[in-house]
Amino acid sequence: MAFEQTDSGPAHIVDLRVPRGFRGSLTFMPVPRGIETAGRDTWLAAYGNAFLPAGTGLRTVADLFGRPVFEVSAPDAKPLIWTAEAATDAEVAGGTSGGDGRQPHLGERIEVLDGTTRWVLTYQPKRASASAPVLVVFDGKAFVDGGLLTTIDELVGPPSLVIGVDHAPIDTAADSGADPGEAFALRASDLVMNPRFCDDVLTLVASLAPNARDRTIVAGASYGGLAATYFVLRHPEACRAISLSPSFWASDSEGKRIWEHFRAGTSPEFLIHHGALESEIARSVAEARAEFVRRGPSPRCDTFSGGHEYLWWRELLPGHLAELLAENRDMSTL
């Protein structure tokens, strides 16, 4: 995979060697000397200064945090099935996402979860049965903006309600935008095995969908994948989980790893899907899976041809959701 930009300005040449079926995003970063041995925070800071050169002919989309990136794929990459049309270049550059964020039936409400006020998106799909499972999505706005609601409306038996949780604190008095640093810190606090956040979210589910009879489906990516797994370990009787590229390397406030939250005698149901190029994630998933199997649960684990990648996550989430909902319908007929 290669492209060359030969505009009147400096030329940019990229030669990417990727595995078969690869799909991912691309940005340009000014890289300081020594970053090859730097830690996670240094890399995140470098990514914050990323830019996109003009005139490449590549498609511009938004990443998980709404930042513009190029979408690239290998010639043999499978066509996207579930992902709706992404935002235009102008919408991405302007900080808006287009797509489902403009759907008239999308609700926005202010909720307090783990003591912090934030936005929560709600959506009742077309043809939804009140007794069907609820879907809870972490980083909800990103997945809604990526086309999640459009794909859910295409399902034969959609969830009874979609709840998209935001992780940016809001000041209800000033109605001001959240500081990016505060939003990043709250996201970590919410999603790294936080029992108060977990229980508050499930209480919200019960209040918004009192007629739902089946277990809530909890879904997320990265820290959100870690949280989804934690939810189902903490409340296996109430949840099933879709864990995309879960950050199983992380420890909670007491130093516990994710498998240490498994309770003997329970049967949690969750699936894991991560990128073949996510070296640290893949290592921690293998470690966690071995620990889970040793303790009892044996989660399904799949890989995709890519890295820590929102472009994959927004495609995989509705696909796995459809599988879980189909299993739920099959069980209801027994």
Side-chain angles (χ1 to χ4, degrees), residues 28-63:
F28 286 75
M29 296 186 300
V31 179
R33 293 184 182 276
I35 197 170
E36 295 84 355
T37 58
R40 182 170 182 268
D41 291 342
T42 303
W43 274 108
L44 289 174
Y47 186 67
N49 294 320
F51 66 96
L52 302 184
T56 63
L58 294 175
R59 185 185 185 193
T60 303
V61 297
D63 69 3

Side-chain angles (χ1 to χ4, degrees), residues 8-330:
S8 57
H12 298 275
I13 300 174
V14 174
D15 184 5
L16 299 177
R17 300 183 184 277
V18 297
R20 293 183 180 277
F22 173 85
R23 184 180 301 278
S25 60
L26 174 69
T27 60
F28 286 75
M29 296 186 300
V31 179
R33 293 184 182 276
I35 197 170
E36 295 84 355
T37 58
R40 182 170 182 268
D41 291 342
T42 303
W43 274 108
L44 289 174
Y47 186 67
N49 294 320
F51 66 96
L52 302 184
T56 63
L58 294 175
R59 185 185 185 193
T60 303
V61 297
D63 69 3
L64 183 66
F65 301 103
R67 296 171 295 203
V69 295
F70 289 139
E71 179 181 355
V72 295
S73 58
D76 62 343
K78 293 181 179 180
L80 297 176
I81 298 174
W82 292 100
T83 304
E85 184 67 20
T88 65
D89 291 2
E91 288 170 335
V92 172
T96 61
S97 57
D100 296 331
R102 295 191 294 266
Q103 291 200 23
H105 302 296
L106 180 66
E108 294 182 321
R109 53 192 299 131
I110 295 174
E111 296 288 346
V112 178
L113 302 174
D114 189 25
T116 302
T117 305
R118 80 282 297 292
W119 289 105
V120 170
L121 305 177
T122 60
Y123 182 73
Q124 186 171 3
K126 301 172 185 176
R127 306 184 308 278
S129 167
S131 62
V134 173
L135 171 66
V136 172
V137 184
F138 305 125
D139 299 302
K141 185 178 185 302
F143 283 100
V144 166
D145 289 348
L148 177 63
L149 303 185
T150 299
T151 59
I152 285 178
D153 276 336
E154 296 175 358
L155 300 178
V156 174
S160 59
L161 183 69
V162 179
I163 300 176
V165 181
D166 194 17
H167 308 287
I170 58 174
D171 185 340
T172 55
D175 194 25
S176 57
D179 175 83
E182 292 180 356
F184 189 82
L186 179 61
R187 182 173 182 270
S189 176
D190 285 345
L191 301 179
V192 182
M193 296 173 278
N194 182 335
R196 299 174 305 278
F197 174 76
C198 173
D199 294 350
D200 284 355
V201 168
L202 294 183
T203 298
L204 177 64
V205 170
S207 67
L208 295 180
N211 295 320
R213 295 290 177 263
D214 298 305
R215 286 175 294 171
T216 297
I217 298 172
V218 186
S222 193
Y223 273 164
L226 173 68
T229 305
Y230 176 73
F231 270 50
V232 78
L233 294 178
R234 183 171 174 82
H235 293 289
E237 75 292 341
C239 304
R240 290 183 291 172
I242 301 169
S243 303
L244 304 175
S245 300
S247 300
F248 285 167
W249 52 266
S251 301
D252 68 8
S253 60
E254 297 178 351
K256 292 183 178 180
R257 300 288 294 279
I258 183 63
W259 58 82
E260 296 180 82
H261 292 278
F262 168 70
R263 291 185 287 116
T266 63
S267 300
E269 294 184 28
F270 58 103
L271 61 86
I272 301 166
H273 209 150
H274 67 87
L277 301 182
E278 298 181 90
S279 56
E280 181 63 17
I281 295 289
R283 184 201 62 76
S284 64
V285 166
E287 180 186 18
R289 192 181 185 198
E291 292 289 345
F292 283 132
V293 170
R294 188 167 68 85
R295 287 165 168 78
S298 182
R300 168 183 161 188
C301 188
D302 296 323
T303 59
F304 56 82
S305 184
H308 202 64
E309 188 55 72
Y310 171 63
L311 297 181
W312 271 105
W313 301 335
R314 71 181 193 181
E315 167 80 358
L316 293 170
L317 194 158
H320 287 313
L321 172 64
E323 294 171 3
L324 293 182
L325 291 170
E327 291 174 6
N328 189 78
R329 291 194 302 274
D330 290 343

